[in-house]
């Protein structure tokens, strides 16, 4: 990852250009000793299942516009992961899902490059079975389309984020 080295050119405290990104999570100013942590951000992803199919979204925004994704998003301050998942599901799909309907699956790290800022995330995965396939996009600005794909027909290369590609491959393709 080299993107992170470019997204701040000056120390936000003193303006010095001797401001380095040393270890993928911390900026340090050699002039005034200011330190800025760029810690891992937490996010959620939901695997909706119906029979042998999985629901994918088609991203309508960068990064990875046009690629397959899962419903989900960043966790807000003071939210639990389950609350974030339920909020994102409501915002993106218009579905009211209760926390108890979400089954924890696993976590997987991801890279999320947005406006030249290299966010590193920890994605928390939940699974939620649905009784039918009738879902519509509520957040049309973010999501271009919804696609149910049979597990044996999933093209991993069409999935944008490395975290989602990994979890789908390891947890859903071999069953
Ligand atoms: Zn400084």
């Amino acid at each position: 990852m080299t993107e992170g080295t470019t997204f701040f050119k000056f120390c936000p405290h003193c303006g010095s250009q001797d401001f380095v990104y040393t270890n993928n999570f911390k900026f340090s100013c050699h002039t005034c000793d200011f330190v800025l942590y760029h810690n891992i951000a937490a996010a959620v992803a939901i695997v909706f299942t119906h029979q042998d199919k999985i629901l994918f979204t088609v991203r309508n925004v960068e990064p990875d516009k046009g690629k397959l994704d899962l419903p989900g998003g960043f966790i807000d301050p003071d939210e639990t992961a389950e609350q974030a998942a339920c909020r994102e599901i409501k915002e993106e799909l218009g579905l009211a899902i209760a926390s108890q309907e979400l089954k924890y699956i696993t976590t997987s790290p991801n890279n999320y490059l947005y406006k030249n800022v290299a966010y590193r995330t920890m994605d928390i995965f939940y699974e939620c079975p649905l009784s039918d396939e009738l879902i519509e996009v509520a957040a049309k600005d973010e999501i271009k389309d919804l696609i149910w794909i049979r597990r044996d027909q999933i093209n991993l290369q069409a999935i944008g984020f490395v975290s989602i590609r990994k979890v789908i491959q390891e947890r859903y393709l071999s069953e």
Side-chain angles (χ1 to χ4, degrees):
M1 290 289 291
T2 54
E3 304 95 294
T5 57
T6 61
F7 67 83
F8 284 127
K9 290 188 172 65
F10 302 97
C11 169
H13 185 246
C14 77
S16 167
Q17 289 192 55
D18 195 2
F19 189 63
V20 294
Y21 193 50
T22 47
N23 52 17
N24 270 342
F25 64 85
K26 188 171 83 172
F27 291 89
S28 303
C29 178
H30 290 155
T31 304
C32 74
D33 280 339
F34 179 76
V35 170
L36 180 69
Y37 281 96
H38 184 61
N39 287 321
I40 298 292
V44 292
I46 300 95
V47 182
F48 284 107
T49 60
H50 179 68
Q51 296 171 351
D52 61 344
K53 294 176 186 168
I54 290 172
L55 180 73
F56 288 93
T57 63
V58 179
R59 294 183 61 80
N60 201 28
V61 287
E62 296 296 348
D64 285 316
K65 185 174 180 177
K67 291 278 196 172
L68 296 181
D69 193 3
L70 293 174
F74 286 100
I75 301 174
D76 284 342
D78 299 323
E79 257 184 345
T80 67
E82 291 78 13
Q83 287 169 339
C86 294
R87 174 181 53 74
E88 290 285 352
I89 292 166
K90 183 75 181 157
E91 288 172 3
E92 294 184 348
L93 307 176
L95 275 185
I97 297 285
S99 293
Q100 306 89 289
E101 297 176 73
L102 300 171
K103 179 185 155 204
Y104 168 78
I105 302 295
T106 188
T107 62
S108 188
N110 194 35
N111 304 312
Y112 192 93
L113 186 65
Y114 184 68
K115 294 189 188 292
N116 206 34
V117 177
Y119 297 92
R120 313 295 290 270
T121 73
M122 181 54 66
D123 296 350
I124 304 166
F125 287 77
Y126 295 98
E127 185 179 302
C128 183
L130 289 182
S131 55
D132 64 55
E133 298 180 9
L134 298 173
I135 306 186
E136 289 184 17
V137 178
K140 291 191 168 64
D141 50 337
E142 291 179 37
I143 298 172
K144 192 176 176 188
D145 205 357
L146 296 174
I147 310 177
W148 286 98
I149 305 180
R150 274 175 47 185
R151 291 185 190 199
D152 60 1
Q153 293 182 339
I154 294 169
N155 172 15
L156 290 171
Q157 300 312 312
I159 299 174
F161 294 132
V162 63
S163 57
I164 290 172
R165 204 180 309 142
K166 183 169 188 289
V167 171
I168 293 295
Q169 180 174 25
E170 291 181 357
R171 302 277 175 150
Y172 292 95
L173 293 198
S174 56
E175 287 180 26

